[in-house]
Amino acid sequence: MLVRALVHPTCFARPRDSRLSSSPSTQVFVEGKKTSLSFSYPKKTRPMSSARCAISAKSSQQSSKDGEDRLSVHGVSEMVVGILGGGQLGRMLCQAASQMGIKVLTLDPLENCPASSLSHQHIVGNFNDGSAVLEFAKRCGVLTVEIEHVDVDALKKLEQQGVDCEPKASTIRIIQDKYIQKVHFSHHGIPLPDFMQIDNLKSAEGAGDLFGYPLMIKSRKLAYDGRGNAVAHSKEELSSSVKVLGGYDRGLYVERWTEFVKELAVIVGRGRDGSISCYPVVETIHRDNICHIVEAPADVPESVKKCAMDVAQKAVSSLGGAGVFAVELFLTKDGKVLLNEVAPRPHNSGHHTIESCYTSQYEQHLRAVTGLPLGDPSMKTPAAIMYNILGEDEGEPGFYIAHQLTRRALSIPGASVHWYDKPEMRKQRKMGHITIVGPSMNIVKRRLDLLLERENIGNHTAATPHVAIIMGSDSDLPVMKDAAEILKAFDVPFEITIVSAHRTPERMYSFALSARERGIRTIIAGAGGAAHLPGMVASLTPLPVIGVPVKTSSLSGVDSLYSIVQMPKGVPVATVAINNAANAGLLAVKILASTDSDLSERLMKYQEDMKDAVLGKAEKLEAEGWEKYLNP
């Protein structure tokens, strides 16, 4: 193998697609630098398919002479949105559009595709057929996609004719070919796994020599949900792995094997004005290369979250057009964040946003393509898990299994079922999803275990503690029980235990470091003689800590009070009056009520009851006089 060591800077002009497909040398990208390997390969093209376009409309429309439908629109936007594709993403776009009064038209080859029953008009036609796309565009104010495998040449032609396409045809062209996508992001300085194109066995062996094994082999086009990926663990496996993918004529490239510890994703909204809005970083967990579970937010350090959002924002900023983009990432063992690939549309990793965020990814996409202001992407619930309902069997047996799962979900607190209404059940096919939201990731995971019957459904009522009451000695219990009684009265689940800052420091450390993951949201700590427990625990956890000064025989609890209020800057501890654990319990209830409307209502009723009790006493005192009041 002849290797020409021609190393170029990472930021050079992006080569045209035609040069990428016809260059006589193979480009290798190692740590953002391009090197040329002298391999030749044949240029391959695919003929365009043709299809006729049939219209299946739910409401009759009066067509003008030029065939363009006139629609009466009275929503937040007067723009009719045309979506190429009518799968589950199109369905959920239609659902979001209906809330905003936006008219959506869909183009899909299947008459009964998931979006067909919800779109304003469903057009039966192939989104890979240029003539169907051109005819469809006449009915729309803006054209967008829910699948990137569309006729990009037709989109380019439409743009030249003045049709508004979001995102732009140039972006779709980049994304459609994963190798070109990698080249594009490499030119813009985005961190990526090392990669190169292969065209024959010689170039594949050269890639193995350069990157080592195992070697990830990928199809350049029409690859999704794990399809189009194969792993060669040795040089001897190269031919069989390539054969699985359809041969070199399919168009292949390879990546250096990435030892990642987690797969992350960031949904990014981009407005027509170029404004960028990122959703919280999530972790995606795959089964057989298909996204199976999404945890939001991802359990990674803040530095990793910032790096992931920076990579995602930089990647999307390099592309043209408005809409929602999904950026898939690898987190490596050494803490690096590498871009895997980008989807120019709503994505599986953003399904949870329907229930967990103030603005769902589907509403955000519609806002972006119609020129409306981008919405708030932040989460309105502390934690969420999205579980994909994948086909477990073919046909009716598969439907039965899926429906049993959805029925169980209806008994799980915080669970929402989304069924895509696909007419056929196949193994590993995405048939729907379930989102579970809750006050902590620990609680949400337990609810998922209940859904999947990993735990006994009969234990469903055993609530996870939200408040922990701790003390250094059981001698503090007569005081701290008042906090427990308040929490019990408000039906707030809690735990109570002994944790000494001096006699059991290891236990204190373990308790404080694990409290958040166990679902604890507030800690009430009794402060006796030395009074170090509240402050020490507060220094070890991000949770709010409420200290209770306990009256002592020597200084009557004043020393404990002073110890709590004298905490150094950066380690705050709340406090209440000496021995007033009841107020600590109420303060914990108020903290929890800030994100729990039902608890907030009970708290307001408690305050109303206190007010009525005081007014009742005042009325009795005034009616009976003070002497009789004191001596009933």
Side-chain angles (χ1 to χ4, degrees):
M1 178 185 70
L2 176 63
V3 179
R4 298 204 305 269
L6 302 178
V7 181
H8 301 274
T10 58
C11 296
F12 45 66
R14 179 172 63 85
R16 292 172 297 144
D17 298 345
S18 59
R19 281 169 44 190
L20 287 174
S21 62
S22 60
S23 172
S25 63
T26 297
Q27 298 174 350
V28 185
F29 291 80
V30 181
E31 296 182 353
K33 297 180 180 180
K34 185 180 77 170
T35 303
S36 296
L37 298 183
S38 58
F39 301 127
S40 62
Y41 56 94
K43 181 177 179 181
K44 295 291 181 181
T45 60
R46 289 179 175 271
M48 293 294 295
S49 62
S50 61
R52 298 191 64 180
C53 177
I55 301 175
S56 173
K58 291 182 294 184
S59 59
S60 60
Q61 299 292 333
Q62 190 67 33
S63 300
S64 59
K65 289 183 179 180
D66 61 2
E68 183 175 351
D69 286 346
R70 305 301 181 186
L71 301 175
S72 179
V73 183
H74 300 284
V76 297
S77 173
E78 294 296 305
M79 192 176 292
V80 176
V81 178
I83 302 174
L84 299 181
Q88 62 262 27
L89 301 181
R91 179 184 180 89
M92 287 179 273
L93 280 168
C94 290
Q95 290 170 332
S98 69
Q99 294 179 319
M100 305 170 73
I102 294 176
K103 297 294 190 298
V104 170
L105 277 59
T106 51
L107 177 69
D108 193 273
L110 298 178
E111 184 175 358
N112 57 346
C113 64
S116 62
S117 61
L118 299 178
S119 62
H120 183 74
Q121 278 191 341
H122 176 56
I123 315 300
V124 179
N126 197 326
F127 41 72
N128 255 327
D129 179 359
S131 60
V133 173
L134 293 171
E135 184 65 27
F136 177 71
K138 295 178 182 180
R139 306 169 179 271
C140 311
V142 61
L143 207 58
T144 189
V145 300
E146 65 107 54
I147 182 170
E148 54 267 34
H149 307 300
V150 299
D151 188 342
V152 72
D153 291 324
L155 293 184
K156 185 65 177 178
K157 183 177 180 180
L158 286 170
E159 287 181 343
Q160 293 170 346
Q161 296 173 357
V163 175
D164 189 6
C165 298
E166 303 292 347
K168 299 305 178 188
S170 58
T171 293
I172 305 297
R173 190 182 298 278
I174 291 169
I175 298 299
Q176 280 183 342
D177 188 317
K178 291 187 176 182
Y179 175 72
I180 293 177
Q181 183 184 152
K182 287 292 194 326
V183 172
H184 169 86
F185 290 128
S186 178
H187 291 172
H188 286 82
I190 309 296
L192 301 161
D194 300 331
F195 67 98
M196 65 177 282
Q197 182 176 316
I198 58 172
D199 312 287
N200 48 46
L201 181 59
K202 185 177 182 181
S203 62
E205 291 176 345
D209 294 339
L210 185 64
F211 294 153
Y213 295 91
L215 189 66
M216 177 62 77
I217 308 175
K218 294 186 175 183
S219 299
R220 291 177 56 167
K221 294 186 177 182
L222 298 174
Y224 59 94
D225 285 345
R227 301 177 182 88
N229 294 349
V231 180
H233 293 89
S234 64
K235 181 180 292 187
E236 290 71 28
E237 290 185 11
L238 283 173
S239 294
S240 59
S241 298
V242 168
K243 185 178 180 180
V244 167
L245 297 178
Y248 295 101
D249 290 347
R250 167 99 183 255
L252 305 175
Y253 76 103
V254 298
E255 292 181 2
R256 185 190 298 273
W257 184 261
T258 302
E259 291 287 348
F260 62 83
V261 293
K262 289 187 177 183
E263 292 183 82
L264 307 176
V266 181
I267 299 294
V268 182
R270 185 181 185 188
R272 283 176 174 267
D273 59 356
S275 58
I276 295 285
S277 182
C278 293
Y279 284 79
V281 182
V282 302
E283 180 179 355
T284 58
I285 301 167
H286 293 72
R287 185 179 77 179
D288 298 329
N289 293 314
I290 301 175
C291 182
H292 186 45
I293 293 173
V294 174
E295 297 182 1
D299 183 17
V300 294
E302 288 300 319
S303 58
V304 172
K305 291 180 181 178
K306 183 180 184 304
C307 183
M309 295 182 79
D310 288 345
V311 170
Q313 183 168 337
K314 190 174 181 181
V316 173
S317 296
S318 73
L319 301 169
V324 156
F325 299 79
V327 182
E328 298 182 60
L329 306 158
F330 293 130
L331 174 61
T332 64
K333 289 182 177 180
D334 55 359
K336 293 181 181 179
V337 175
L338 304 178
L339 186 146
N340 179 21
E341 59 186 58
V342 174
R345 51 169 172 77
H347 191 260
N348 205 153
S349 61
H351 288 345
H352 71 93
T353 61
I354 298 174
E355 281 79 29
S356 69
C357 294
Y358 289 103
T359 306
S360 76
Q361 67 165 341
Y362 301 100
E363 178 182 334
Q364 193 79 301
H365 189 76
L366 292 168
R367 283 173 177 247
V369 302
T370 59
L372 295 170
L374 296 181
D376 181 1
S378 59
M379 293 184 67
K380 60 184 179 183
T381 183
I385 282 182
M386 188 285 303
Y387 178 85
N388 261 334
I389 304 173
L390 302 177
E392 299 287 347
D393 203 344
E394 303 288 332
E396 288 304 316
F399 276 118
Y400 177 78
I401 295 171
H403 290 161
Q404 290 295 104
L405 180 68
T406 58
R407 286 179 66 86
R408 287 200 301 273
L410 298 178
S411 67
I412 303 295
S416 299
V417 175
H418 295 261
W419 185 251
Y420 302 153
D421 201 22
K422 294 182 178 179
E424 292 182 34
M425 170 69 74
R426 297 194 296 270
K427 283 188 176 182
Q428 297 298 82
R429 190 183 194 190
K430 294 176 181 176
M431 302 301 295
H433 74 267
I434 297 168
T435 299
I436 306 174
V437 299
S440 72
M441 185 56 70
N442 180 270
I443 292 174
V444 170
K445 285 183 176 180
R446 290 190 182 186
R447 291 174 178 175
L448 179 62
D449 287 339
L450 290 171
L451 171 67
L452 302 179
E453 295 185 327
R454 295 172 182 163
E455 293 183 5
N456 189 343
I457 197 75
N459 295 330
H460 180 85
T461 56
T464 301
H466 292 173
V467 179
I469 302 173
I470 58 175
M471 62 205 83
S473 169
D474 61 351
S475 62
D476 298 335
L477 185 57
V479 172
M480 301 304 291
K481 69 175 177 59
D482 293 344
E485 289 174 351
I486 289 292
L487 296 172
K488 186 177 180 181
F490 279 93
D491 198 26
V492 172
F494 66 93
E495 64 182 27
I496 185 165
T497 189
I498 297 172
V499 178
S500 173
H502 303 109
R503 292 182 287 270
T504 58
E506 296 88 357
R507 176 175 168 79
M508 179 195 67
Y509 269 73
S510 175
F511 168 85
L513 294 175
S514 67
R516 178 174 172 271
E517 279 304 306
R518 291 188 297 108
I520 300 297
R521 297 165 62 189
T522 305
I523 298 172
I524 300 174
H532 290 154
L533 184 59
M536 291 296 293
V537 170
S539 69
L540 295 168
T541 178
L543 300 174
V545 176
I546 306 167
V548 179
V550 177
K551 187 176 181 178
T552 57
S553 58
S554 55
L555 294 172
S556 298
V558 174
D559 55 337
S560 301
L561 177 62
Y562 284 172
S563 177
I564 296 173
V565 298
Q566 293 293 335
M567 284 300 295
K569 185 184 295 184
V571 189
V573 180
T575 189
V576 292
I578 296 170
N579 275 9
N580 198 339
N583 267 5
L586 281 169
L587 183 54
V589 171
K590 288 192 173 187
I591 292 171
L592 297 176
S594 64
T595 57
D596 187 330
S597 59
D598 179 62
L599 189 56
S600 180
E601 289 178 4
R602 279 183 277 154
L603 190 59
M604 287 189 288
K605 184 180 184 302
Y606 175 84
Q607 292 175 323
E608 285 293 324
D609 290 344
M610 283 198 303
K611 174 184 174 182
D612 292 342
V614 172
L615 293 177
K617 291 177 181 179
E619 183 179 350
K620 182 178 180 181
L621 175 61
E622 293 168 0
E624 296 180 352
W626 65 273
E627 292 177 318
K628 185 177 180 181
Y629 188 88
L630 290 175
N631 301 286

